[in-house]
Amino acid sequence: MENYFKYILQFKRIAIISILFTIGSCNEFLDEIPDNRVELDNLEKAAQLLTNAYSSASPAFTDWMSDDVNWTRGTVLRPNHSLLYAWEDDLSDPTELDSPTAYWFQTYDAIAHANEVLAVIDELEATTDEEKTLKRAVEGEALLIRAYGHFMLVNLFGEHFRVQGSSGDEGIPYVSEPETEFLASYKRASVKRVYDKIEDDLLDGLELIDDSFFANSGKYHFNRNAALAFASRYYLFKGDFLRCLQYSDELLNGDPSAFVRDMTSEEFQLAKSSLQIYPQLYNSPDLPSNLLLMRKISLVHRPDFAFGPLTDNYRGLFASHPFVEATDERESPAIVKGDNAIFPSRYESLFERSSLNSNTGLPYHIASTFRGEEVLLNRAEARLYQRNTQGAIDDLQILSENRYRGGNVNLNMDLLRQFFGAENDPSFSDEDIVLNYILLERRKEFFGQGMRWFDIKRYGIAIQHDFQDGSVITLGRDDLRKVLQIPQSAIDVGGLEPNPR
């Protein structure tokens, strides 16, 4: 156990656009319409524009900064990979896939699409009841997209929300109007102010969203279940545990197992024989646990790029559980990454050709942005902070029954204390123990999917990275580098204040 749990986190109450700054050099350019945007003069066009309002950037690049990876030999290491691994500021341009800069620009670009719709939605004609309902649904989707984009940006480029936070904690610009001037200037709002604006959009969007208009592509749009999952995550990160429970309960609706995929099932066991079929099943829109799917232009799924976990560390992590003779079915299938690492098969590697006869194009995968399992774990954590330890264990039991196969998988407090070696250690409360187990389960559940970094940041977890020459660097609990630096172009041209270093 020492190899994987060097310390136990003490339980504590959490104290808790497109801004394309591009310089033009030709006066004639400014006399022309700068794009081919659709004239939004009806609801169908507005709804269609929102299909481009989902950011194509994957947040899974944050895994390269986390404790889930080690120095990996035999893979392609681009400059931004090494910078992220060493927690140095990203210097790449917006075209570099899987970089903080690309995430910033692509997410603000998505927000800009949502703002275009929201700017005209009140003026669009809706005479029939069906049109009026569609109008509300389009507005609700646009609000949720805008809220989610800002939520991800503020949690990457700002401090983690603190319940007793300072209004001086710099967040990000909250962009709520279409861009109408060349090289517009923006100001960073405080983290609290950004969270307030996110909450307004989130709650308004929840009230308006209507699933009936997304019957054929419901999992690729914000639907009500995805919006509830977003609310569950938002209020957990905010430290408002009562409201986290409220929205988690509304989704799980008395039957949480319906939103947890059974990875011990025959269907999943048979799929393990194919590295192509398994990720298709894992991210299938037919699985009730998958609530929102997004297309991500990315290379994080490639086994020949960037960093992964050392094989022994990976296997040791998934072997770390309290159940005798049980196996964690999340461990496999996995693919070899480089010469010394391994990576779980969670994404189908897809490629969009630039033309039918072209060998060039864009690599992408389909990612499950919100899942029922996350909501269940959010509820367990919120229950813990409400001093409902047994309720948290009950939620963890549901996950255990669908993840561990063989042996006795009945979870209880004595078993958890024994697992963490704290049977006779009163310095660690039951809440301490359960919190650490929740974080372990979150780590394994979302391995390789860009979620671990946010837990590291929320709980101030210190981590180390080793290098090929044997040197080791540390990212401390309160290290300023846990807040990603604002892109250099946004600082130089947009006038935004950089994060302290």
Side-chain angles (χ1 to χ4, degrees):
M1 292 297 297
E2 294 95 18
N3 292 334
Y4 305 103
F5 303 102
K6 295 182 179 179
Y7 57 87
I8 297 180
L9 288 170
Q10 286 294 112
F11 180 80
K12 58 188 177 71
R13 192 164 296 277
I14 298 179
I16 53 173
I17 1 123
S18 158
I19 303 181
L20 292 174
F21 301 111
T22 307
I23 299 176
S25 59
C26 179
N27 291 332
E28 289 82 359
F29 172 79
L30 296 178
D31 295 330
E32 301 293 333
I33 295 175
D35 57 32
N36 295 317
R37 73 182 65 189
V38 175
E39 184 179 358
L40 296 180
D41 53 8
N42 62 56
L43 289 171
E44 287 71 21
K45 290 180 180 179
Q48 181 65 29
L49 183 63
L50 287 182
T51 62
N52 295 320
Y54 293 87
S55 176
S56 61
S58 170
F61 71 85
T62 58
D63 281 341
W64 303 330
M65 301 184 291
S66 78
D67 51 359
D68 280 344
V69 303
N70 308 91
W71 185 264
T72 307
R73 302 190 307 270
T75 60
V76 175
L77 293 180
R78 292 182 173 177
N80 69 300
H81 299 159
S82 299
L83 290 171
L84 288 168
Y85 186 79
W87 308 302
E88 296 179 12
D89 292 345
D90 175 38
L91 301 177
S92 59
D93 64 48
T95 63
E96 181 67 41
L97 291 182
D98 304 311
S99 67
T101 300
Y103 194 89
W104 171 280
F105 284 106
Q106 290 177 33
T107 302
Y108 272 120
D109 182 62
I111 290 168
H113 283 78
N115 282 335
E116 291 288 344
V117 171
L118 290 168
V120 302
I121 192 69
D122 287 342
E123 308 303 321
L124 298 183
E125 183 178 1
T127 56
T128 68
D129 289 343
E130 182 178 3
E131 287 174 337
K132 291 176 182 177
T133 305
L134 173 60
K135 185 174 181 177
R136 286 169 53 86
V138 170
E139 182 179 2
E141 183 184 3
L143 287 167
L144 289 167
I145 290 169
R146 185 167 73 184
Y148 175 69
H150 286 105
F151 176 79
M152 294 299 291
L153 287 166
V154 76
N155 280 287
L156 288 171
F157 296 94
E159 295 280 358
H160 177 65
F161 182 92
R162 294 182 289 172
V163 174
Q164 305 298 330
S166 166
S167 60
D169 288 344
E170 290 285 359
I172 56 167
Y174 201 96
V175 183
S176 54
E177 300 290 339
E179 294 172 336
T180 58
E181 62 179 288
F182 187 62
L183 294 179
S185 61
Y186 296 87
K187 292 184 179 180
R188 299 178 66 177
S190 70
V191 171
K192 183 181 184 305
R193 180 62 175 159
V194 174
Y195 260 72
D196 288 344
K197 287 179 173 288
I198 292 169
E199 185 172 23
D200 289 342
D201 281 349
L202 169 59
L203 295 180
D204 288 345
L206 256 172
E207 184 177 343
L208 294 169
I209 198 71
D210 190 319
D211 291 353
S212 62
F213 293 98
F214 306 124
N216 296 321
S217 57
K219 297 295 182 69
Y220 293 92
H221 289 264
F222 253 112
N223 49 73
R224 182 160 183 82
N225 282 348
L228 290 171
F230 178 20
S232 171
R233 186 192 297 181
Y234 169 84
Y235 285 111
L236 180 72
F237 280 27
K238 188 178 180 181
D240 187 340
F241 303 114
L242 282 175
R243 300 195 78 177
C244 175
L245 288 172
Q246 173 190 341
Y247 290 104
S248 299
D249 286 341
E250 186 173 346
L251 172 71
L252 300 175
N253 195 27
D255 185 18
S257 60
F259 291 95
V260 178
R261 72 199 71 199
D262 185 1
M263 296 178 74
T264 72
S265 67
E266 182 178 3
E267 182 181 29
F268 267 90
Q269 294 301 308
L270 290 174
K272 284 186 174 183
S273 62
S274 171
L275 293 176
Q276 180 178 8
I277 294 175
Y278 190 90
Q280 290 176 350
L281 172 61
Y282 191 88
N283 296 299
S284 170
D286 296 328
L287 285 181
S289 60
N290 287 330
L291 307 176
L292 177 63
L293 300 170
M294 287 189 186
R295 176 179 177 271
K296 298 297 183 182
I297 299 173
S298 171
L299 289 166
V300 297
H301 56 272
R302 289 275 298 269
D304 55 342
F305 270 76
F307 298 96
L310 298 184
T311 302
D312 288 346
N313 290 355
Y314 176 85
R315 290 173 177 165
L317 174 66
F318 284 95
S320 299
H321 57 76
F323 307 116
V324 178
E325 297 182 357
T327 58
D328 189 334
E329 295 302 309
R330 290 169 292 195
E331 179 181 354
S332 61
I335 51 181
V336 173
K337 191 175 182 75
D339 298 332
N340 61 337
I342 198 168
F343 191 74
S345 177
R346 294 292 181 266
Y347 304 120
E348 183 182 8
S349 183
L350 302 169
F351 190 77
E352 179 182 329
R353 297 181 185 274
S354 56
S355 66
L356 287 177
N357 298 319
S358 175
N359 290 323
T360 62
L362 295 172
Y364 72 98
H365 63 261
I366 302 301
S368 185
T369 303
F370 287 108
R371 290 171 38 196
E373 291 90 348
E374 181 193 353
V375 177
L376 183 68
L377 286 164
N378 292 348
R379 188 173 76 171
E381 191 173 338
R383 281 179 163 179
L384 193 63
Y385 279 100
Q386 292 297 305
R387 305 300 178 188
N388 183 3
T389 305
Q390 186 56 52
I393 293 176
D394 291 342
D395 282 340
L396 292 167
Q397 178 64 39
I398 294 169
L399 187 68
S400 298
E401 292 169 359
N402 291 279
R403 293 295 177 270
Y404 297 98
R405 192 162 64 99
N408 185 340
V409 295
N410 291 322
L411 199 64
N412 56 65
M413 199 65 244
D414 289 340
L415 190 64
L416 287 172
R417 279 197 166 275
Q418 182 181 6
F419 173 59
F420 284 105
E423 304 99 310
N424 302 308
D425 190 347
S427 66
F428 293 106
S429 67
D430 288 351
E431 289 87 356
D432 290 331
I433 301 299
V434 176
L435 174 61
N436 277 271
Y437 190 67
I438 289 172
L439 292 176
L440 173 62
E441 284 297 311
R442 288 178 64 91
R443 184 179 183 182
K444 294 199 285 185
E445 186 67 26
F446 305 112
F447 199 97
Q449 298 169 70
M451 293 287 285
R452 175 62 175 171
W453 179 252
F454 299 100
D455 288 346
I456 289 171
K457 192 171 175 181
R458 286 194 303 139
Y459 282 99
I461 298 173
I463 56 179
Q464 292 184 337
H465 276 173
D466 59 315
F467 288 82
Q468 193 169 18
D469 62 4
S471 61
V472 176
I473 59 174
T474 300
L475 189 72
R477 289 177 54 88
D478 301 314
D479 199 302
L480 295 175
R481 293 172 296 175
K482 287 184 177 178
V483 179
L484 298 184
Q485 187 57 274
I486 302 295
Q488 192 62 46
S489 57
I491 296 170
D492 294 341
V493 182
L496 298 185
E497 289 292 323
N499 288 318
R501 285 292 183 260

